[in-house]
Amino acid sequence: MDRIDLFRIFSRVVECASFTRAADTLGIPRSSVSAAVQELEGRVGARLLHRTTRKVSPTQDGAAFYERCQRLIADVEDTENLFRQTGAEPAGRLRIDVPGRIGRLIIAPALLEFLDLHPQIDIDLGVTDRAVNLVEDSVDCVLRVGPLSDSGLIARPIGKLPLINVASPAYVERHGTPQSPDDLAGHWAVNYASPSSGRIEEWEWVEDGTLRTMPLRGRVTVNSAEAYIACCLAGLGLIQIPAYDVRRHVEAGELVEMMPRHQAEPMPMTLLYPHRQHLSRRLQVFADWLERLLRQRVAP
């Protein structure tokens, strides 16, 4: 078995976190996968994988070696494609993960357009608000909304997500309409607790170029966008929410925008990849399509 084949098998094991799943996706026996990894570890003189009965994960050396493998494999694929037709259709399967509301409201309804444009690409669409480990979960890219932690992943900014302040007509009838942040002390909010940290988000607005925050009293705390919007529709308090998320409710008169001059800062949207260079053509065309879609539908 040549070195590139060994690199490919090792990379697939890392991505699948399993010898068996790697063998299934590659269409080869599990014993061949195990033998290939053992041969590779012998060649490089280092233990590359932690093996348990339940999971396989890269060692520190293995994680670094995986990154180098990705670059080498990409270089070989680029070389193999050098003399092929430049107009060849990108092909293969893409695994992506996106936030729940954007996935359901924006991406899934538009996905047929992308598949029609690229009939040889298949999509595994993960729609979740939990943190995803690209390597362990074998995901090609993830869409993140909000500030990023230093994950070591490659980030492609793809726009800003505007937020608006809204309440239901029933809330306005009962409590009145705040005209400025000075009025907020007399109002109620639906509190939103971050699903990852549990921290309750404070009310935000930008004033004279400075971001300001204050806690608002609230009798209900939620940790999902669906519950956040549902409680607002029920008249339980004010919320700050991405504009696309409640557009139809505002247009239908079910929610009312307020304090348009005192909005929170738009949230950055970022596409994250695991590798610094040599993205596959299928991932490149998907990323370009997704950026156009989000700029048109979410952050015009």
Side-chain angles (χ1 to χ4, degrees):
M1 190 175 293
D2 67 35
R3 292 181 182 179
I4 293 300
D5 287 335
L6 294 177
F7 293 165
R8 286 187 171 122
I9 292 172
F10 165 72
S11 296
R12 189 60 57 87
V13 172
V14 171
E15 291 159 359
C16 294
S18 164
F19 283 91
T20 301
R21 279 192 291 167
D24 290 342
T25 61
L26 292 168
I28 61 177
R30 185 191 184 284
S31 59
S32 298
V33 172
S34 180
V37 171
Q38 289 178 7
E39 181 180 346
L40 187 59
E41 288 180 324
R43 288 194 179 196
V44 301
R47 186 174 179 83
L48 301 176
L49 297 172
H50 293 298
R51 300 161 175 85
T52 69
T53 56
R54 299 181 59 186
K55 190 176 181 181
V56 177
S57 61
T59 63
Q60 184 174 353
D61 289 337
F65 190 71
Y66 171 79
E67 292 294 331
R68 296 295 296 269
C69 281
Q70 294 304 300
R71 301 175 198 174
L72 290 169
I73 292 169
D75 283 338
V76 170
E77 290 177 349
D78 284 348
T79 303
E80 290 174 344
N81 293 329
L82 188 60
F83 300 107
R84 295 178 183 173
Q85 292 182 353
T86 56
E89 178 66 26
R93 181 171 294 276
L94 273 177
R95 294 196 65 194
I96 64 173
D97 192 271
V98 299
R101 297 284 293 182
I102 289 180
R104 288 189 290 274
L105 298 180
I106 304 297
I107 298 175
L111 204 51
L112 181 61
E113 171 197 331
F114 176 80
L115 297 176
D116 283 345
L117 288 171
H118 303 287
Q120 296 185 48
I121 297 179
D122 296 323
I123 299 290
D124 286 348
L125 178 63
V127 179
T128 175
D129 293 316
R130 70 177 179 86
V132 171
N133 185 303
L134 274 73
V135 174
E136 290 186 3
D137 295 329
S138 302
V139 175
D140 293 297
C141 67
V142 297
L143 178 67
R144 291 280 187 266
V145 175
L148 297 176
S149 59
D150 184 11
S151 64
L153 299 172
I154 308 311
R156 172 176 172 173
I158 56 174
K160 299 267 188 176
L161 192 61
L163 288 89
I164 59 174
N165 312 312
V166 293
S168 70
Y171 176 90
V172 171
E173 182 178 351
R174 188 171 182 178
H175 299 283
T177 302
Q179 300 299 319
S180 75
D182 293 335
D183 300 331
L184 289 175
H187 283 269
W188 296 89
V190 178
N191 286 327
Y192 183 83
S194 167
S196 57
S197 68
R199 182 177 66 87
I200 294 178
E201 307 289 349
E202 294 190 340
W203 195 269
E204 297 183 356
W205 72 96
V206 177
E207 185 175 318
D208 298 327
T210 301
L211 177 65
R212 303 186 183 278
T213 65
M214 68 178 295
L216 293 192
R217 58 180 182 164
R219 300 185 64 191
V220 177
T221 300
V222 301
N223 65 354
S224 75
E226 282 80 4
Y228 197 45
I229 295 169
C231 288
C232 185
L233 287 167
L236 296 175
L238 313 171
I239 65 172
Q240 292 186 312
I241 192 83
Y244 84 90
D245 231 345
V246 292
R247 185 176 296 136
R248 65 183 181 88
H249 295 299
V250 173
E251 292 172 349
E254 299 167 340
L255 292 175
V256 180
E257 183 179 4
M258 51 195 58
M259 296 187 295
R261 297 182 180 178
H262 298 89
Q263 295 175 340
E265 278 191 319
M267 293 191 294
M269 296 184 294
T270 311
L271 204 60
L272 298 177
Y273 315 108
H275 316 305
R276 183 166 299 279
Q277 56 184 346
H278 299 305
L279 300 180
S280 67
R281 287 196 63 216
R282 61 182 177 273
L283 182 51
Q284 289 176 347
V285 297
F286 178 80
D288 291 343
W289 173 83
L290 182 62
E291 180 172 358
R292 290 194 300 271
L293 175 71
L294 295 180
R295 289 188 184 277
Q296 291 169 1
R297 307 281 180 87
V298 174

